[in-house]
Amino acid sequence: MREPFDLKYRPRRFADVIGNKAVVRLLLKLSSEGRLTDRSFMFGGPKGCGKTTLARIVARAIVCDSLQAGEPCSECPSCLSIITESADSFEEFDAATQGTVDRMRSIVQSLDYGNLSGRPLVVVLDEAQRLSKQGQDALLKSIEDRRLIVIFCTTEPHKIQGAIRNRVTEFPISEPPESESIELMEKVCKLESVSYDAAALQLIAKLTGSCPRSCMTSIDLMAPTVTMESVRSFFRHSGMESVASVLGRIDSNPVEALRELDTLMSAEGATWVRDTIVQAISSEMRVSVGARPTFPVPCRFFESRGRRWADLAHILGSMEKPTATGVDVALLTACPILMTAPGPVQSAPAPPV
Protein backbone atom coordinates (compact mmCIF):
# COMPACT_ATOMS: atom_id res chain seq x y z
CA MET A 1 0.00 0.00 0.00
CA ARG A 2 1.29 3.45 -0.92
CA GLU A 3 2.35 5.46 2.14
CA PRO A 4 1.11 9.08 2.34
CA PHE A 5 3.83 11.70 2.00
CA ASP A 6 3.20 13.21 5.45
CA LEU A 7 3.94 9.83 7.06
CA LYS A 8 6.64 8.66 4.67
CA TYR A 9 8.72 11.81 5.16
CA ARG A 10 8.02 12.34 8.84
CA PRO A 11 11.30 13.29 10.57
CA ARG A 12 13.00 10.56 12.61
CA ARG A 13 16.00 12.57 13.81
CA PHE A 14 16.41 16.00 15.35
CA ALA A 15 18.41 17.03 12.26
CA ASP A 16 15.41 16.27 10.01
CA VAL A 17 13.06 18.66 11.84
CA ILE A 18 12.42 21.91 9.99
CA GLY A 19 11.92 25.14 11.92
CA ASN A 20 12.08 25.59 15.71
CA LYS A 21 15.88 25.54 15.58
CA ALA A 22 16.42 26.79 19.15
CA VAL A 23 14.12 24.11 20.59
CA VAL A 24 15.74 21.35 18.51
CA ARG A 25 19.25 22.46 19.49
CA LEU A 26 18.36 22.41 23.19
CA LEU A 27 16.72 18.98 22.98
CA LEU A 28 19.72 17.61 21.10
CA LYS A 29 22.03 19.04 23.75
CA LEU A 30 19.99 17.44 26.55
CA SER A 31 20.01 14.15 24.65
CA SER A 32 23.78 14.15 24.11
CA GLU A 33 24.28 14.90 27.82
CA GLY A 34 21.88 12.15 28.90
CA ARG A 35 19.50 14.64 30.53
CA LEU A 36 16.26 14.01 28.66
CA THR A 37 14.94 12.07 31.64
CA ASP A 38 15.44 14.96 34.09
CA ARG A 39 11.88 16.27 33.62
CA SER A 40 8.75 15.72 31.61
CA PHE A 41 8.03 17.99 28.61
CA MET A 42 5.25 20.00 27.04
CA PHE A 43 5.19 20.96 23.37
CA GLY A 44 2.58 23.61 22.61
CA GLY A 45 1.70 25.12 19.25
CA PRO A 46 -0.53 25.01 16.13
CA LYS A 47 -1.77 21.81 14.54
CA GLY A 48 0.46 20.00 12.08
CA CYS A 49 3.71 21.74 12.99
CA GLY A 50 5.58 18.78 14.46
CA LYS A 51 4.72 18.52 18.17
CA THR A 52 3.99 14.78 18.15
CA THR A 53 6.81 14.09 15.71
CA LEU A 54 9.27 15.84 18.03
CA ALA A 55 7.86 13.93 21.00
CA ARG A 56 8.51 10.61 19.24
CA ILE A 57 12.09 11.62 18.45
CA VAL A 58 12.62 12.52 22.12
CA ALA A 59 11.13 9.17 23.15
CA ARG A 60 13.51 7.26 20.86
CA ALA A 61 16.47 9.31 22.12
CA ILE A 62 15.56 8.29 25.68
CA VAL A 63 15.47 4.55 24.94
CA CYS A 64 18.02 4.30 22.10
CA ASP A 65 20.75 1.68 22.55
CA SER A 66 23.15 3.48 20.22
CA LEU A 67 22.82 7.26 20.45
CA GLN A 68 24.93 9.09 17.87
CA ALA A 69 25.85 12.56 19.16
CA GLY A 70 22.44 12.75 20.79
CA GLU A 71 20.55 11.50 17.75
CA PRO A 72 18.50 8.28 18.02
CA CYS A 73 19.80 5.68 15.57
CA SER A 74 16.27 4.53 14.58
CA GLU A 75 17.75 1.12 13.86
CA CYS A 76 18.38 -0.56 17.23
CA PRO A 77 15.71 -2.85 18.75
CA SER A 78 14.64 -0.14 21.23
CA CYS A 79 14.13 2.50 18.52
CA LEU A 80 12.37 0.05 16.25
CA SER A 81 10.06 -1.03 19.06
CA ILE A 82 8.83 2.58 19.35
CA ILE A 83 8.53 2.98 15.58
CA THR A 84 6.44 -0.21 15.41
CA GLU A 85 4.59 0.71 18.63
CA SER A 86 5.59 -2.53 20.38
CA ALA A 87 7.80 -1.07 23.13
CA ASP A 88 6.93 -1.92 26.73
CA SER A 89 8.52 1.36 27.86
CA PHE A 90 6.54 3.62 25.52
CA GLU A 91 2.89 4.58 25.16
CA GLU A 92 1.20 7.13 22.92
CA PHE A 93 -2.45 7.93 22.88
CA ASP A 94 -4.99 10.63 22.11
CA ALA A 95 -6.11 12.35 25.28
CA ALA A 96 -9.30 13.46 23.50
CA THR A 97 -10.59 9.89 23.55
CA GLN A 98 -8.48 8.25 26.27
CA GLY A 99 -7.74 11.08 28.69
CA THR A 100 -9.89 9.76 31.50
CA VAL A 101 -8.83 9.66 35.12
CA ASP A 102 -8.92 5.84 35.07
CA ARG A 103 -6.50 5.76 32.13
CA MET A 104 -4.10 8.12 33.91
CA ARG A 105 -4.32 6.10 37.12
CA SER A 106 -3.50 2.90 35.25
CA ILE A 107 -0.32 4.55 33.90
CA VAL A 108 0.71 5.66 37.39
CA GLN A 109 0.01 2.22 38.87
CA SER A 110 2.10 0.51 36.18
CA LEU A 111 5.19 2.29 37.55
CA ASP A 112 5.14 -0.04 40.56
CA TYR A 113 5.82 -3.01 38.28
CA GLY A 114 8.46 -1.45 36.02
CA ASN A 115 9.18 -2.89 32.56
CA LEU A 116 11.50 -5.46 31.07
CA SER A 117 13.92 -2.86 29.69
CA GLY A 118 14.38 -1.17 33.05
CA ARG A 119 14.06 2.21 31.34
CA PRO A 120 11.66 5.03 32.27
CA LEU A 121 8.15 4.75 30.88
CA VAL A 122 7.73 7.43 28.19
CA VAL A 123 4.14 8.51 27.59
CA VAL A 124 3.18 10.85 24.73
CA LEU A 125 -0.18 12.53 25.29
CA ASP A 126 -1.53 13.97 22.04
CA GLU A 127 -4.26 16.64 22.29
CA ALA A 128 -3.30 16.94 25.95
CA GLN A 129 -5.65 19.89 26.46
CA ARG A 130 -8.48 17.37 26.38
CA LEU A 131 -7.29 15.64 29.54
CA SER A 132 -9.96 15.81 32.21
CA LYS A 133 -9.17 17.79 35.37
CA GLN A 134 -9.17 14.57 37.35
CA GLY A 135 -6.83 13.00 34.78
CA GLN A 136 -4.40 15.90 35.17
CA ASP A 137 -4.62 15.61 38.94
CA ALA A 138 -3.79 11.89 38.73
CA LEU A 139 -0.55 12.70 36.89
CA LEU A 140 0.44 15.62 39.07
CA LYS A 141 2.77 13.87 41.52
CA SER A 142 3.95 11.12 39.21
CA ILE A 143 5.48 13.46 36.64
CA GLU A 144 8.13 14.27 39.25
CA ASP A 145 9.05 10.57 39.33
CA ARG A 146 11.97 9.90 36.98
CA ARG A 147 10.49 6.48 36.22
CA LEU A 148 7.86 8.31 34.17
CA ILE A 149 8.46 10.86 31.42
CA VAL A 150 5.27 12.44 30.08
CA ILE A 151 5.38 14.49 26.89
CA PHE A 152 2.31 16.69 26.62
CA CYS A 153 1.47 17.77 23.05
CA THR A 154 -1.19 20.46 22.90
CA THR A 155 -2.60 23.23 20.76
CA GLU A 156 -3.87 24.97 23.90
CA PRO A 157 -1.16 25.02 26.59
CA HIS A 158 -3.24 27.31 28.80
CA LYS A 159 -5.68 24.44 29.41
CA ILE A 160 -3.00 22.44 31.20
CA GLN A 161 -3.17 23.33 34.87
CA GLY A 162 -0.42 25.51 36.30
CA ALA A 163 0.72 22.89 38.80
CA ILE A 164 1.65 20.57 35.90
CA ARG A 165 3.23 23.31 33.81
CA ASN A 166 5.47 24.20 36.75
CA ARG A 167 6.75 20.61 36.83
CA VAL A 168 7.56 20.18 33.13
CA THR A 169 9.93 21.81 30.68
CA GLU A 170 7.73 23.74 28.26
CA PHE A 171 8.69 24.35 24.63
CA PRO A 172 6.69 26.55 22.23
CA ILE A 173 6.46 24.98 18.77
CA SER A 174 5.69 27.22 15.79
CA GLU A 175 5.37 26.92 12.02
CA PRO A 176 8.73 26.76 10.22
CA PRO A 177 9.73 29.60 7.87
CA GLU A 178 8.09 29.39 4.45
CA SER A 179 11.50 28.97 2.84
CA GLU A 180 12.10 25.73 4.78
CA SER A 181 8.66 24.34 3.93
CA ILE A 182 9.25 25.12 0.25
CA GLU A 183 12.64 23.43 0.36
CA LEU A 184 11.05 20.33 1.93
CA MET A 185 8.34 20.21 -0.74
CA GLU A 186 10.92 20.55 -3.51
CA LYS A 187 12.91 17.67 -2.03
CA VAL A 188 9.87 15.39 -1.76
CA CYS A 189 8.64 16.27 -5.26
CA LYS A 190 12.01 15.28 -6.72
CA LEU A 191 12.10 12.03 -4.75
CA GLU A 192 8.55 11.15 -5.80
CA SER A 193 8.89 12.31 -9.44
CA VAL A 194 6.22 14.96 -8.99
CA SER A 195 6.48 17.83 -11.47
CA TYR A 196 5.88 21.26 -9.97
CA ASP A 197 5.92 24.98 -10.56
CA ALA A 198 8.13 26.83 -8.09
CA ALA A 199 5.45 29.52 -7.73
CA ALA A 200 2.88 26.83 -6.91
CA LEU A 201 4.97 25.52 -4.00
CA GLN A 202 5.40 29.07 -2.73
CA LEU A 203 1.63 29.54 -2.83
CA ILE A 204 1.07 26.24 -0.95
CA ALA A 205 3.43 27.37 1.81
CA LYS A 206 1.55 30.66 2.06
CA LEU A 207 -1.93 29.14 1.98
CA THR A 208 -1.12 26.48 4.60
CA GLY A 209 0.60 28.90 6.95
CA SER A 210 3.80 26.92 6.32
CA CYS A 211 2.39 23.94 8.19
CA PRO A 212 4.62 20.95 7.24
CA ARG A 213 1.86 18.33 7.50
CA SER A 214 -0.51 20.38 5.33
CA CYS A 215 2.24 21.04 2.80
CA MET A 216 3.00 17.33 2.47
CA THR A 217 -0.68 16.39 2.24
CA SER A 218 -1.28 19.03 -0.42
CA ILE A 219 1.41 17.92 -2.84
CA ASP A 220 0.46 14.29 -2.20
CA LEU A 221 -3.14 14.92 -3.23
CA MET A 222 -2.18 17.04 -6.25
CA ALA A 223 0.52 14.65 -7.52
CA PRO A 224 1.80 13.90 -10.14
CA THR A 225 1.64 17.58 -11.17
CA VAL A 226 1.51 20.64 -8.92
CA THR A 227 0.60 23.78 -10.85
CA MET A 228 -0.70 27.21 -9.93
CA GLU A 229 -4.08 26.24 -11.34
CA SER A 230 -4.31 23.04 -9.28
CA VAL A 231 -3.21 24.84 -6.11
CA ARG A 232 -5.75 27.66 -6.57
CA SER A 233 -8.51 25.12 -7.14
CA PHE A 234 -7.46 22.86 -4.25
CA PHE A 235 -7.34 25.71 -1.72
CA ARG A 236 -10.33 27.68 -3.06
CA HIS A 237 -8.00 30.61 -3.68
CA SER A 238 -10.49 32.38 -5.95
CA GLY A 239 -13.06 32.11 -3.16
CA MET A 240 -10.69 33.84 -0.77
CA GLU A 241 -10.18 36.60 -3.33
CA SER A 242 -13.97 37.00 -3.54
CA VAL A 243 -14.21 37.30 0.24
CA ALA A 244 -11.57 40.04 0.20
CA SER A 245 -13.50 41.77 -2.60
CA VAL A 246 -16.82 41.58 -0.73
CA LEU A 247 -15.36 42.97 2.48
CA GLY A 248 -13.65 45.75 0.54
CA ARG A 249 -16.90 46.84 -1.15
CA ILE A 250 -19.59 46.14 1.45
CA ASP A 251 -19.56 49.74 2.70
CA SER A 252 -19.09 51.57 -0.59
CA ASN A 253 -21.15 49.33 -2.89
CA PRO A 254 -23.23 46.92 -0.80
CA VAL A 255 -25.50 45.82 -3.65
CA GLU A 256 -22.65 44.55 -5.82
CA ALA A 257 -20.87 43.11 -2.78
CA LEU A 258 -23.94 41.10 -1.76
CA ARG A 259 -24.40 39.80 -5.30
CA GLU A 260 -20.83 38.52 -5.27
CA LEU A 261 -21.35 37.08 -1.78
CA ASP A 262 -24.51 35.22 -2.85
CA THR A 263 -22.66 33.70 -5.81
CA LEU A 264 -19.80 32.68 -3.53
CA MET A 265 -22.09 31.06 -0.94
CA SER A 266 -23.87 29.11 -3.67
CA ALA A 267 -20.51 27.71 -4.74
CA GLU A 268 -18.72 27.23 -1.41
CA GLY A 269 -21.43 27.09 1.25
CA ALA A 270 -22.27 29.46 4.09
CA THR A 271 -20.00 27.79 6.67
CA TRP A 272 -16.87 28.11 4.54
CA VAL A 273 -17.70 31.72 3.68
CA ARG A 274 -18.36 32.55 7.35
CA ASP A 275 -15.08 30.98 8.47
CA THR A 276 -13.12 32.70 5.70
CA ILE A 277 -14.58 36.12 6.52
CA VAL A 278 -13.60 35.68 10.17
CA GLN A 279 -10.11 34.58 9.12
CA ALA A 280 -9.74 37.66 6.88
CA ILE A 281 -10.86 40.03 9.64
CA SER A 282 -8.55 38.40 12.16
CA SER A 283 -5.65 38.76 9.75
CA GLU A 284 -6.37 42.44 9.13
CA MET A 285 -6.56 43.10 12.87
CA ARG A 286 -3.13 41.51 13.24
CA VAL A 287 -1.75 43.73 10.50
CA SER A 288 -3.20 46.81 12.23
CA VAL A 289 -0.97 46.19 15.25
CA GLY A 290 2.13 45.39 13.22
CA ALA A 291 1.90 41.58 13.14
CA ARG A 292 2.18 39.51 9.98
CA PRO A 293 -1.03 38.68 8.07
CA THR A 294 -2.47 35.19 8.29
CA PHE A 295 -4.90 35.52 5.36
CA PRO A 296 -3.21 34.43 2.11
CA VAL A 297 -4.95 37.04 -0.08
CA PRO A 298 -4.15 40.79 0.15
CA CYS A 299 -6.99 42.73 1.79
CA ARG A 300 -7.72 46.45 2.00
CA PHE A 301 -10.90 46.85 3.97
CA PHE A 302 -9.87 47.36 7.59
CA GLU A 303 -9.58 51.14 7.43
CA SER A 304 -13.28 51.55 6.58
CA ARG A 305 -14.41 50.47 10.06
CA GLY A 306 -11.30 49.79 12.07
CA ARG A 307 -12.01 47.87 15.25
CA ARG A 308 -15.72 47.58 14.48
CA TRP A 309 -14.79 44.69 12.21
CA ALA A 310 -14.19 42.72 15.41
CA ASP A 311 -17.90 43.01 16.23
CA LEU A 312 -18.80 41.47 12.87
CA ALA A 313 -16.28 38.65 13.40
CA HIS A 314 -17.81 37.96 16.83
CA ILE A 315 -21.35 37.85 15.41
CA LEU A 316 -20.35 35.51 12.61
CA GLY A 317 -18.25 33.32 14.88
CA SER A 318 -21.20 32.89 17.25
CA MET A 319 -23.37 31.28 14.56
CA GLU A 320 -23.69 27.56 15.30
CA LYS A 321 -25.17 26.72 11.89
CA PRO A 322 -24.40 29.51 9.42
CA THR A 323 -26.89 30.09 6.59
CA ALA A 324 -26.65 32.34 3.55
CA THR A 325 -29.36 34.56 4.98
CA GLY A 326 -27.64 34.75 8.37
CA VAL A 327 -24.32 35.81 6.83
CA ASP A 328 -26.10 38.43 4.68
CA VAL A 329 -27.93 39.87 7.67
CA ALA A 330 -24.76 40.00 9.78
CA LEU A 331 -22.93 41.96 7.06
CA LEU A 332 -25.85 44.32 6.44
CA THR A 333 -26.42 44.96 10.13
CA ALA A 334 -22.77 45.86 10.56
CA CYS A 335 -22.69 48.17 7.52
CA PRO A 336 -22.48 51.77 8.79
CA ILE A 337 -23.70 53.32 5.54
CA LEU A 338 -26.90 51.27 5.52
CA MET A 339 -27.47 51.85 9.22
CA THR A 340 -27.26 55.63 8.84
CA ALA A 341 -29.17 55.87 5.57
CA PRO A 342 -32.40 57.89 5.70
CA GLY A 343 -35.65 56.01 6.02
CA PRO A 344 -38.16 55.60 3.19
CA VAL A 345 -39.52 58.84 1.73
CA GLN A 346 -43.04 59.58 3.00
CA SER A 347 -45.47 60.52 0.26
CA ALA A 348 -47.32 63.83 0.71
CA PRO A 349 -50.96 63.61 1.86
CA ALA A 350 -53.51 63.79 -0.92
CA PRO A 351 -55.20 67.17 -1.26
CA PRO A 352 -58.78 67.35 0.03
CA VAL A 353 -61.45 66.70 -2.54
Side-chain angles (χ1 to χ4, degrees), residues 2 22 163 166 217 251 253 339:
R2 178 179 174 276
N166 288 336
T217 300
D251 288 325
N253 194 342
M339 293 301 98

Side-chain angles (χ1 to χ4, degrees), residues 33-336:
E33 295 174 354
R35 295 171 52 201
L36 284 177
T37 56
D38 286 355
R39 300 183 81 189
S40 290
F41 301 93
M42 183 163 76
F43 298 139
K47 290 181 180 294
C49 291
K51 299 182 298 296
T52 307
T53 293
L54 202 51
R56 290 176 179 174
I57 296 173
V58 169
R60 288 200 301 277
I62 289 174
V63 306
C64 183
D65 300 322
S66 183
L67 275 179
Q68 301 166 3
E71 291 278 17
C73 68
S74 296
E75 296 177 353
C76 68
S78 296
C79 284
L80 291 175
S81 68
I82 289 182
I83 293 172
T84 59
E85 300 181 0
S86 60
D88 66 347
S89 59
F90 173 78
E91 289 190 52
E92 177 185 336
F93 57 88
D94 184 355
T97 55
Q98 302 178 57
T100 64
V101 61
D102 290 338
R103 185 74 173 88
M104 298 304 105
R105 285 173 178 164
S106 70
I107 291 173
V108 173
Q109 291 169 358
S110 70
L111 297 179
D112 294 333
Y113 303 99
N115 55 64
L116 295 176
S117 68
R119 292 189 173 94
L121 173 62
V122 182
V123 177
V124 174
L125 294 177
D126 204 10
E127 300 294 338
Q129 74 275 3
R130 300 290 295 276
L131 278 173
S132 66
K133 181 183 182 302
Q134 294 80 6
Q136 293 189 42
D137 289 340
L139 286 175
L140 190 56
K141 290 297 181 183
S142 296
I143 58 176
E144 294 181 308
D145 189 331
R146 294 184 64 170
R147 294 176 299 167
L148 173 67
I149 302 297
V150 180
I151 307 178
F152 300 86
C153 299
T154 175
T155 56
E156 300 176 275
H158 62 278
K159 290 190 176 180
I160 305 299
Q161 60 179 263
I164 285 182
R165 296 179 70 174
N166 288 336
R167 289 169 166 80
V168 303
T169 301
E170 188 171 344
F171 293 101
I173 306 299
S174 59
E175 305 92 338
E178 287 185 8
S179 59
E180 294 189 27
S181 291
I182 293 169
E183 184 179 345
L184 174 63
M185 286 189 285
E186 289 176 341
K187 175 183 175 182
V188 171
C189 284
K190 290 173 183 177
L191 291 172
E192 296 291 337
S193 300
V194 175
S195 61
Y196 64 92
D197 295 338
L201 298 188
Q202 292 172 7
L203 185 57
I204 290 174
K206 187 176 184 64
L207 292 171
T208 60
S210 195
C211 168
R213 183 169 64 199
S214 297
C215 287
M216 290 294 96
T217 300
S218 300
I219 62 173
D220 191 6
L221 294 175
M222 283 183 268
T225 305
V226 181
T227 63
M228 286 292 288
E229 182 180 354
S230 63
V231 171
R232 287 173 63 88
S233 174
F234 183 81
F235 285 100
R236 301 174 173 175
H237 192 265
S238 60
M240 294 181 186
E241 291 176 329
S242 291
V243 165
S245 172
V246 167
L247 295 178
R249 294 191 295 162
I250 190 65
D251 288 325
S252 60
N253 194 342
V255 174
E256 289 300 319
L258 288 176
R259 283 177 181 166
E260 185 172 359
L261 182 67
D262 290 343
T263 300
L264 181 61
M265 283 194 285
S266 295
E268 303 290 358
T271 298
W272 183 86
V273 171
R274 185 276 307 270
D275 292 345
T276 307
I277 290 175
V278 172
Q279 182 186 356
I281 294 173
S282 172
S283 176
E284 285 294 275
M285 292 189 69
R286 286 174 53 86
V287 172
S288 72
V289 297
R292 67 178 180 83
T294 53
F295 196 64
V297 173
C299 298
R300 292 181 179 85
F301 61 83
F302 193 76
E303 296 81 1
S304 64
R305 304 186 199 182
R307 300 289 171 157
R308 284 180 295 175
W309 283 107
D311 297 331
L312 173 59
H314 179 72
I315 292 170
L316 291 171
S318 299
M319 294 180 178
E320 290 187 9
K321 295 181 178 179
T323 63
T325 301
V327 174
D328 277 350
V329 169
L331 283 173
L332 290 171
T333 302
C335 183

Side-chain angles (χ1 to χ4, degrees), residues 1-22:
M1 180 180 291
R2 178 179 174 276
E3 191 173 17
F5 290 176
D6 61 317
L7 298 181
K8 185 175 181 179
Y9 295 99
R10 195 170 198 169
R12 290 192 174 183
R13 303 182 307 145
F14 291 114
D16 298 331
V17 176
I18 64 173
N20 299 289
K21 299 303 183 187

